[in-house]
Amino acid sequence: MKKLVSVVIPAYNEEDNLMVIIDRLENIFLNSSYDVEFIIVDDGSSDQTALILKAMTKLRQNIFYIGFSRNFGHQVALKAGLDKAKGDCVISLDADLQHPPELIIDMLRKWEEGYEVVYTRRKEDKRLPLMKRKMSSLFYHLLNVLSDVNIESGTADFRLMDKKVVDVFRDMEEYEPFIRGLVKWMGYNQYAIDYIPNERYSGSSKYNLKKMIRLGIHGVTSFSIKPLYTAVYLGFMFSLLSVLYIPYVLYAFCEGIEVDGWASLIMTVVFFGGLQLIILGIIGVYIGKMFMQTKNRPGYIISHTNLTQ
Ligand code: UDP
Ligand code: MG
């Protein structure tokens, strides 16, 4: 019996890309020794994505779609696809063809060699806007400094996971999962393949600066409580400084030295005001995450699908 490979594709307003990516993928599996199923997650698209998906399922038996009731975000869409995949291994990739589908052949080969996770590392792409490249490397740098998992630069959500890894992943009920971190955290035998990303085939990137910063904060706070220690370290540092300053203040008082204090006073007040707000904010982010997690809401809501279970 042939092994089944599930391919999971999150799609948010990708109407012009879907046909192309499925064709490219079908070609790869055409004469292979695998059966393939495609699970496309329509993340609340407002364009023709849903209609195109429905039409595609009429033409091919192995295409399944999951339509969300609204936009839940890339990571959640991926999670939904992984939840429903039935394959012996699951491959996830973006709908926009930036992840070259042909790399799947190498991934499958490594899987057959016994690796349970085959992930990919994006090589620096000079065609990407400088801002995006810088943001990306800053993101991975910060993530590694501030958190307890070590995620290599350029690791995106283009990877193969063995069924047993997916089974473990499925049981994790994390609110807003940060999948690349979780996969690294899980361990297993992992193998990395480097690739040069293609340009987006059609449409535009769904990650703006705001979403990227959100993902960054989320990535760090999902894997580490190191930021919470900032308050402790800074608190100690400034207490020490103030202890050094007190003798001078007393001396000035006793000697009757008149102090022009306005500028220094106002700067100190503003500085510490800002610092306290930042620390409060950091604590707030963690409390917010706890709050969202305790509510135990479903991670996503499926409004239409052709999957039977
Ligand atoms: N995506 C999604 N939901 C979102 C944003 C993005 O499902 O809210 C999908 C999108 O359709 C694509 C993948 O996630 O398949 C990666 O998004 P994109 O290409 O916009 O990100 P970039 O490559 O620019 O980082
Ligand atoms: Mg993209």
Side-chain angles (χ1 to χ4, degrees):
M1 215 175 83
K2 283 183 172 181
K3 286 181 185 168
L4 177 67
V5 177
S6 303
V7 179
V8 172
I9 307 171
Y12 179 46
N13 294 341
E14 304 281 6
E15 55 186 0
D16 295 324
N17 295 326
L18 288 176
M19 294 279 216
V20 186
I21 191 162
I22 294 292
D23 270 348
R24 289 265 292 270
L25 288 163
E26 279 281 7
N27 270 337
I28 292 169
F29 285 97
L30 205 56
N31 294 315
S32 76
S33 54
Y34 302 102
D35 282 330
V36 60
E37 64 166 10
F38 299 101
I39 300 179
I40 301 165
V41 187
D42 169 16
D43 187 10
S45 301
S46 51
D47 64 357
Q48 303 294 312
T49 299
L51 276 177
I52 290 171
L53 275 177
K54 271 191 194 136
M56 283 163 82
T57 54
K58 300 231 162 63
L59 298 173
R60 289 182 175 124
Q61 303 282 305
N62 60 349
I63 298 184
F64 302 98
Y65 65 85
I66 298 171
F68 282 174
S69 58
R70 63 167 171 85
N71 179 253
F72 277 89
H74 175 204
Q75 298 290 296
V76 178
L78 256 178
K79 167 95 167 67
L82 291 166
D83 285 347
K84 304 288 177 196
K86 293 185 279 291
D88 296 295
C89 72
V90 184
I91 295 168
S92 57
L93 78 169
D94 287 357
D96 58 6
L97 289 151
Q98 281 189 305
H99 298 157
E102 287 68 28
L103 217 65
I104 287 178
I105 301 166
D106 298 332
M107 293 170 124
L108 286 168
R109 196 175 304 132
K110 285 291 159 194
W111 176 54
E112 294 289 357
E113 281 176 20
Y115 289 97
E116 287 131 336
V117 176
V118 185
Y119 64 98
T120 59
R121 279 184 307 218
R122 185 183 59 223
K123 286 247 191 84
E124 177 121 312
D125 182 7
K126 297 274 180 294
R127 289 164 308 184
L128 275 178
L130 186 72
M131 221 263 301
K132 183 139 191 165
R133 270 187 282 152
K134 286 279 163 256
M135 283 292 290
S136 169
S137 66
L138 182 74
F139 166 62
Y140 287 106
H141 187 71
L142 273 181
L143 194 67
N144 289 335
V145 170
L146 291 175
S147 74
D148 302 320
V149 284
N150 189 17
I151 302 175
E152 288 145 89
S153 178
T155 317
D157 289 301
F158 180 23
R159 75 173 73 74
L160 178 152
M161 289 197 245
D162 187 85
K163 186 180 169 44
K164 71 175 171 219
V165 183
V166 179
D167 285 344
V168 176
F169 179 77
R170 220 172 264 146
D171 286 338
M172 292 191 203
E173 291 295 336
E174 258 187 58
Y175 165 77
E176 272 197 275
F178 181 63
I179 298 178
R180 61 198 79 164
L182 281 174
V183 172
K184 190 78 195 185
W185 174 86
M186 277 197 275
Y188 289 105
N189 269 336
Q190 306 211 359
Y191 187 87
I193 299 180
D194 290 321
Y195 74 100
I196 296 170
N198 296 321
E199 290 212 45
R200 194 172 229 287
Y201 183 76
S202 167
S204 57
S205 170
K206 314 294 178 306
Y207 272 95
N208 50 25
L209 185 64
K210 196 171 143 203
K211 272 195 178 179
M212 266 155 51
I213 292 175
R214 245 192 93 121
L215 186 75
I217 293 178
H218 180 57
V220 171
T221 50
S222 286
F223 283 92
S224 166
I225 52 167
K226 275 188 198 165
L228 286 175
Y229 287 88
T230 353
V232 183
Y233 297 136
L234 284 176
F236 269 116
M237 202 174 85
F238 285 112
S239 308
L240 200 76
L241 278 178
S242 70
V243 167
L244 296 178
Y245 193 58
I246 288 168
Y248 169 71
V249 175
L250 286 176
Y251 168 77
F253 177 73
C254 295
E255 292 291 310
I257 299 173
E258 222 171 277
V259 189
D260 289 336
W262 189 81
S264 58
L265 206 66
I266 210 80
M267 265 164 54
T268 316
V269 169
V270 171
F271 177 74
F272 281 100
L275 204 65
Q276 278 163 357
L277 282 180
I278 293 173
I279 302 291
L280 259 182
I282 294 176
I283 300 171
V285 170
Y286 283 93
I287 295 179
K289 285 173 92 87
M290 277 161 57
F291 172 65
M292 295 309 283
Q293 186 77 43
T294 49
K295 285 204 275 198
N296 238 342
R297 286 191 191 147
Y300 50 85
I301 300 169
I302 299 174
S303 69
H304 47 281
T305 177
N306 65 338
L307 281 165
T308 42
Q309 46 149 333

